Amino acid sequence: MKTTITMCLITAVAALGISCADNREFLPGEVWLDENGVAINAHGGGMLYHDGRYYWFGEHKTEGEGGNRANVGVHCYSSRNLHDWRDEGIALAVDAEGSGSPIEKGCILERPKVIYNKQTDKFVMWFHLELKDRGYSAAMSGVAVSDNITGPYKFLNAGRVNAGKWPLNVSDETRQAAEAIAAGREAEVADNDRFLVRDFAVGQMARDMTLFVDDDGKAYHIYASEENQTLQIAELTDDYTAHSGRYVRAFVGRSMEAPAIFKHDGKYYLMMSGCTGWAPNAARSAVADAVMGEWTELGNPCIGDDADKTFHSQSTYMLPVAGRKDTFIYMGDRWKPENAIDGRYIWLPVTLEDGRFTLTWQPSWKL
Ligand code: DGJ
């Protein structure tokens, strides 16, 4: 009888997404190996849960300082339990060096995220793209699609965002700033409006980014824009492969990057960082009743030692654990710019309390 009950429980829990055998520890900051015993190489990543498996997409880094450039592409791993990771290979490969492709080897391709479109039955990947040998000046977004979750993904195009469109929450002052710039009176333009207006015609900058699909199937691209001064949240078209033209500015002039979002009990929560390159800084958090805001800042969600450095990490994704209502995992990167491939993964449980979320450092923890 006892055995039968235990078996039933195991079956039930397994059906919810995480099996009983996964009572293993997460070890943030240690080297995490895949099923072949090779260190997982999926930085700045995101996760897609599909048909009972988690698919982890991230930047494939290489050794040394040059390893932060895209020499290989976007790596994909999959797991049923968030512990045993199968190497699914390179989901999106960079094109040959010298090919002139926007995603040629040596470009910067960061923070890839993949979402599934039920209507088209396609997987859509977006990423931050910087053209080869142009530093971080291009500030573009790239998009690729595949019929199979693990790829290969076909690169569609890359560019700036929402050219010729004002944000839904544009102020009269900002519109006047556009007139002032057109009339050569740049000095009159407020610092916070300068880049939005400058890029109106060519499209908005988009660097660090994430994607979010809401319960109604609408998808959003959330990205550091306006020279990283202001975050923008843009709706995607129904097939998720382009921007619809509807977008808002959020946290104007607050200089945030590394956005990661989750939804809980009808509220939307964002985690972000400040802008200090590869060096960690104090994280920020915010809450809203709708993806497009209004957003209210909640302060640094990290608590305890090294909270002012986000435990030496930077947010990349907030993972809802399948089948567990209130369970989310913070996914962050501990960058190693001098040897990019050795960057580590900092995953921590998210605590939800009193209308906000918090993170506390734990050298090891279990779900
Ligand atoms: C911080 C960003 O979050 C990273 O993705 C990367 O772009 C670095 N800056 C580059 O300095």
Side-chain angles (χ1 to χ4, degrees), residues 42-56:
H43 310 263
M47 202 76 82
L48 177 63
Y49 184 74
H50 192 77
D51 285 347
R53 289 189 83 81
Y54 294 90
Y55 291 83
W56 179 359

Side-chain angles (χ1 to χ4, degrees), residues 110-111 136 208 257 277-278 314:
E110 292 181 340
R111 297 182 178 269
Y136 278 84
D208 279 11
E257 56 183 6
W278 299 113
Q314 189 182 30

Side-chain angles (χ1 to χ4, degrees), residues 185-196:
R185 303 192 316 270
E186 296 221 357
E188 289 176 21
V189 177
D191 280 348
N192 283 343
D193 285 337
R194 199 170 300 281
F195 302 119
L196 175 85

Side-chain angles (χ1 to χ4, degrees), residues 44 59 61 68 108 110-111 128 130 136 207-209 228 257-259 273-279 314-315 333 335:
E59 304 159 28
K61 306 266 194 193
N68 276 316
I108 293 173
E110 292 181 340
R111 297 182 178 269
H128 165 204
E130 298 292 349
Y136 278 84
R207 292 196 182 116
D208 279 11
M209 57 144 284
N228 287 357
E257 56 183 6
S273 72
C275 296
T276 51
W278 299 113
Q314 189 182 30
S315 43
D333 292 282
W335 305 113

Side-chain angles (χ1 to χ4, degrees), residues 294-351:
E294 296 267 317
W295 285 91
T296 304
E297 282 198 54
L298 297 172
N300 185 351
C302 301
I303 294 172
D305 287 351
D306 291 331
D308 61 337
K309 296 273 183 285
T310 316
F311 317 116
H312 300 275
S313 71
Q314 189 182 30
S315 43
T316 186
Y317 200 74
M318 290 294 201
L319 173 65
V321 178
R324 297 201 184 192
K325 188 173 167 291
D326 300 325
T327 310
F328 297 85
I329 297 176
Y330 160 77
M331 292 171 56
D333 292 282
R334 183 172 287 174
W335 305 113
K336 288 269 180 69
E338 66 288 357
N339 187 21
I341 195 173
D342 192 31
R344 304 290 171 84
Y345 310 107
I346 306 298
W347 290 13
L348 292 168
V350 174
T351 303

